Amino acid sequence: MKLFGTMSVVDNMLEIGGVSMKTLKETYGTPLYIYDEVLLRETASLFVDSFKGKTLEGVVAYASKAFLSIAMAQLATQEGLAIDVASAGELFTVHKSGFDMSRVYFHGNNKLREELELAVELNCGVIVLDHRNEVSLLESVLQEKGATMNVLLRVNPGIDAHTHEYIKTTTLDSKFGESLFDPEIMNVIQSINDSVSLNFLGLHCHIGSQIFEQESFHKAADEILEFYKRVLDETGIRFTEVNLGGGFGVYYTKGDKPVTLDTFLPELMDHVETQVEALGLGIKRVIIEPGRSIVCNAGSTLYTVGSEKLTMSGKRYAYIDGGMSDNIRPALYQAEYEAGIANKMDQASNTDYCVAGKLCESGDVIINSVKLPHVERDDLLLVPSTGAYTYSMSSNYNKLTRPAVVFVRDGHHQLVVRRQSLNDLTQWDLNI
C-alpha cells in the first residue's frame, strides 16, 4: 500500500496527520472517512501556484462533486480556490460555508428552474449553459428577477480521451454540451451573445475524468482555441475566458501514472498563452476544474474487519463493516484500490484476500484481490485514495448509516461531518 502525505507507521500502527487509526476508531467508529488536511492544503496550493500565466489569469475552480462539505468549501476559500457546483444542494452548501459566490461556476445538463432561481438569488458568479434549450429558461428567470448573469457555453470538442466509458464526456453522443461540429453552433453562439440578460464570457469543455495523457489536454485546448478564432472570424465575437475543465488522473494502484502537476500545469498554461497570442484572441482568463486530483489521495476510508471466509474454491474473503454504500466506485466503474491492515503495517502481506462489504449484493466488493497480513476480527483495514466520489456517492442502501468525516493534522483530529444515526434514517418517513 502506497503511503501518501503525512501517513507514517509507528509501532506497527498506521498514523495519518500524527493520529493513529486506533484513536480514530475508538473516537468516531468505522467506517470512517479520513482526510489528511495537510495534503489537502498542499495539493490545493500546488494547483493555485502552478497555474499562473504571464499574460493570462489562471483560475483553479475546485470541482466540488468530488467531495463537498461546509468544511471543504471553507478550506477552498482559505487556499484561494474558486468552486464549481452542479446542483442546488452543492450551491447551497457552498453558500452556507460563507464562500464568495462570485467565484462559483454552476454546471449541469438539466438545471431546474428553481435551481437557476436560487443561483440568481445567491449571486452565483457564472452559469455554464449546457445546451441551447437552457438559454430561454435562464433568460426567463433573469427577466423575472430583473437581473443579468455571466455565462459560459459548454461545448463538446470530440476528444476521445482514454478513460472509462461512463466518465468520458466529449464523444459525439455525449449527454453534455453542444458539439463544435453541429452546423447550427454559430447560430447558438450568436443568440447567446445577442441576449440582453446574458454576459457571454466564453466556452467550457471537459474531456473526461482520470486522464493520464498530457497531450489530451493540449489537444482539447487547441481545438477550443481554434474554434474561438473561427467564432471571431465569422461573428466578430471576442471571448474573454476559456474553461478547460478538469479530469487530471490520480494514483489508485501501481498501474496509474498521473501527470506531474508542478511541471504539467505551467506547461499547459504556457501552451494556452502561446496559442492565444498566435491566434490573436482576446482571452484574459483561463479556468481549470480539478476535483479528484485535489482530494483523492488525501482521503482514506477506515473499516473494521468482521471475519474472514475461505470458500470451497479457495477464495478467501475479508469482510468489512462497510461496502458499496460508502464506496460505490468498484461496482460502478470497476475501480481498483490498494489496502493495508492499519494495526499490522509491519507484518508481511502474503495472503490474498477479496475485501467484501456487508451489503446484500454479490457485487459488494471493494477490492477483488489484495495481499494482506492474515486478518482477524477487529483488525483495522484502511483503503487509501478514497477522497473523491465516496462520501459524495454514499447511500443508505440496506439502511446503513453514512459514515462520519474527519480532518486530521499535527496530531489533532476534527469531526467535519457527523455520522448518521438510526433516527436520521427515518426522520423523513411518515406513518400511514
Side-chain angles (χ1 to χ4, degrees), residues 121-278:
E121 291 167 8
L122 297 183
N123 298 311
C124 178
V126 179
I127 289 180
V128 182
L129 298 167
D130 194 81
H131 48 81
R132 68 195 73 183
N133 294 327
E134 212 168 55
V135 176
S136 59
L137 178 60
L138 177 57
E139 285 181 319
S140 172
V141 171
L142 291 168
Q143 289 164 9
E144 181 181 283
K145 295 183 176 295
T148 59
M149 177 61 66
N150 294 325
V151 298
L152 298 171
L153 173 66
R154 181 164 181 168
V155 294
N156 183 337
I159 305 296
D160 188 11
H162 299 290
T163 188
H164 191 282
E165 178 184 356
Y166 291 175
I167 50 182
K168 288 181 179 179
T169 57
T170 61
T171 54
L172 293 180
D173 58 356
S174 172
K175 66 181 272 190
F176 299 107
E178 292 279 357
S179 173
L180 294 186
F181 307 101
D182 189 322
E184 292 296 315
I185 188 63
M186 287 299 172
N187 291 333
V188 174
I189 287 172
Q190 188 68 61
S191 67
I192 297 171
N193 194 67
D194 290 343
S195 172
V196 297
S197 302
L198 307 177
N199 179 25
F200 195 10
L201 302 177
L203 305 179
H204 169 281
C205 74
H206 179 74
I207 60 175
S209 297
Q210 193 60 353
I211 299 167
F212 298 118
E213 297 82 8
Q214 182 168 327
E215 57 270 22
S216 294
F217 297 104
H218 286 185
K219 186 176 180 182
D222 289 343
E223 292 286 339
I224 290 296
L225 295 176
E226 288 167 8
F227 186 74
Y228 270 46
K229 175 62 172 173
R230 181 183 156 199
V231 171
L232 179 60
D233 290 344
E234 295 185 21
T235 69
I237 298 171
R238 189 179 290 274
F239 293 131
T240 58
E241 299 188 7
V242 61
N243 190 321
L244 300 176
F248 315 111
V250 302
Y251 179 98
Y252 285 103
T253 61
K254 288 182 179 179
D256 296 330
K257 300 186 184 302
V259 297
T260 304
L261 291 174
D262 57 0
T263 57
F264 164 68
L265 292 171
E267 288 173 0
L268 178 60
M269 176 60 83
D270 287 346
H271 184 82
V272 172
E273 286 187 320
T274 299
Q275 293 296 93
V276 167
E277 182 178 358

Side-chain angles (χ1 to χ4, degrees), residues 31 303 315 317-332 335 354-369 395 397-398 400:
Y303 301 99
K315 186 170 186 174
Y317 285 94
Y319 295 140
I320 54 174
D321 57 349
M324 65 191 301
S325 57
D326 58 73
N327 188 352
I328 192 65
R329 294 187 69 255
L332 185 62
C354 173
V355 178
K358 68 186 303 296
L359 292 98
C360 294
E361 295 285 342
S362 296
D364 179 27
V365 170
I366 298 299
I367 307 176
N368 279 303
S369 177
S395 74
Y397 185 45
N398 280 176
L400 268 66

